Amino acid sequence: MRGYLLKKIPSALLVLLLASFLIFAILRLVPGDAADALAGPDASPESVAAIRHQLGLDQPVLTQYVTWIGDLVAGELGPSYAIGGEVADLIGDGFAATAELTAGALFFTVALGLLLGVLGATSRRPAVRAAVRALTTAALAVPPFVTGVVLVLVFAVQFVVLPSGGRIGLLEAPDLELQYLLLPSLCLALPSAAVLGRYLKDSLERALGEDYIRTATAAGVPRRRLLWRHALPNALPPVVTLLGIQTGQLLGGAVLVEAIFAWPGLGQLADQALTRRDYPVVQDVLLLLVAVFVLIQLLTDIVYALLDPRIRWE
């Protein structure tokens, strides 16, 4: 296992390095001058030059990149010139909200994906199989911004059982925060749960069609025991890999869902910073999201190795 991890870590670091360079370069290619945007339309040339000097934009591009990476390694993120406050504090608050939303969505993804996959693979009723196919198709076909609006109209406007948006904080009022979390996390989880459910269904059908399953069935082993003790564990390794990919997509999809439900996470922070040309915030937020995605993929590989003995032996 140690050798397996040592092979994965260099590639993860290389991905982070390439991502940092791309993020830095793309932001510099955006039309317009960040110093002009921060100074305002009526600012004097001296004020614009002073802001450009504070941001380090008057230095060579390579020097700006090296300075940014060096500050990140040292943990010195600096202040936000447009939004206000320290970048580390802004990202910390936003990351806590986005992590909470992603965790809630991940719970629904696993729960709904497991339910849909098992029902689709094991149910002997054609109506149940057709319902599973219809639900997964609808969850994949309808975009999250449509699903979010429908959820708000039904549960926050028509029946008024859940809040339409906002966030309190899990530590301040856990019971109320769960109510605020329910709709956005469900909206975010539906497409990923549909993908996971379909993939698990196919994996279970292949596992249930193996010779040892048919032999055990002929020997009188209960079907439920075969499913949970043998077929499902054998079907899980590829599903775990897919779940890692879907978790990364949950982080990306959280940007749109946060806008629908006024959830104060990294998505809203990145949108505000990009609109105001606050380069330090945008760069750090995007690189943090990439780092979290890479970490999730690394953890997924570890779990896959734990589930698959062949990888451990290698």
Side-chain angles (χ1 to χ4, degrees), residues 29 51 79 84 95 106 111 142 151 168 187 201 221 229 260 270-271:
L29 294 176
I51 293 177
F95 181 75
L106 185 61
V142 180
L151 290 175
I168 295 178
C187 174
K201 169 183 171 296
V221 179
R229 295 286 298 275
I260 297 173
D271 180 64

Side-chain angles (χ1 to χ4, degrees), residues 37-148:
L38 291 174
D42 301 326
S44 63
E46 292 78 12
S47 299
V48 175
I51 293 177
R52 185 176 290 110
H53 179 71
Q54 283 183 331
L55 293 176
L57 299 178
D58 55 348
Q59 300 177 356
V61 176
L62 183 59
T63 303
Q64 296 179 39
Y65 174 75
V66 173
T67 302
W68 173 48
I69 296 299
D71 291 340
L72 281 178
V73 174
E76 299 176 357
L77 305 185
S80 169
Y81 295 97
I83 300 176
E86 293 292 325
V87 175
D89 296 335
L90 294 174
I91 292 180
D93 295 338
F95 181 75
T98 298
E100 184 180 313
L101 175 59
T102 305
L106 185 61
F107 170 79
F108 280 114
T109 297
V110 174
L112 294 176
L114 184 63
L115 177 63
L116 293 173
V118 172
L119 283 178
T122 62
S123 179
R124 299 175 179 176
R125 298 180 181 180
V128 175
R129 290 175 174 263
V132 170
R133 286 195 298 269
L135 287 174
T136 54
T137 302
L140 288 172
V142 180
F145 64 86
V146 175
T147 305

Side-chain angles (χ1 to χ4, degrees), residues 267-291:
Q268 287 200 19
L269 178 61
D271 180 64
Q272 295 176 11
L274 188 60
T275 302
R276 303 179 186 182
R277 300 294 184 86
D278 199 337
Y279 281 166
V281 176
V282 178
Q283 292 175 165
D284 295 343
V285 168
L286 294 181
L287 188 58
L288 174 63
L289 291 176
V290 174

Side-chain angles (χ1 to χ4, degrees), residues 1 13-14 30 33 69 111 121 132-133 150 164 190 210 217 228 259-260 264 279 281 301-302 307:
M1 179 64 72
L13 294 177
L14 180 60
V30 174
D33 191 347
I69 296 299
V132 170
R133 286 195 298 269
V150 172
S164 60
L190 285 177
E210 295 289 341
T217 302
W228 296 105
I260 297 173
Y279 281 166
V281 176
D301 290 339
I302 294 174
L307 292 175

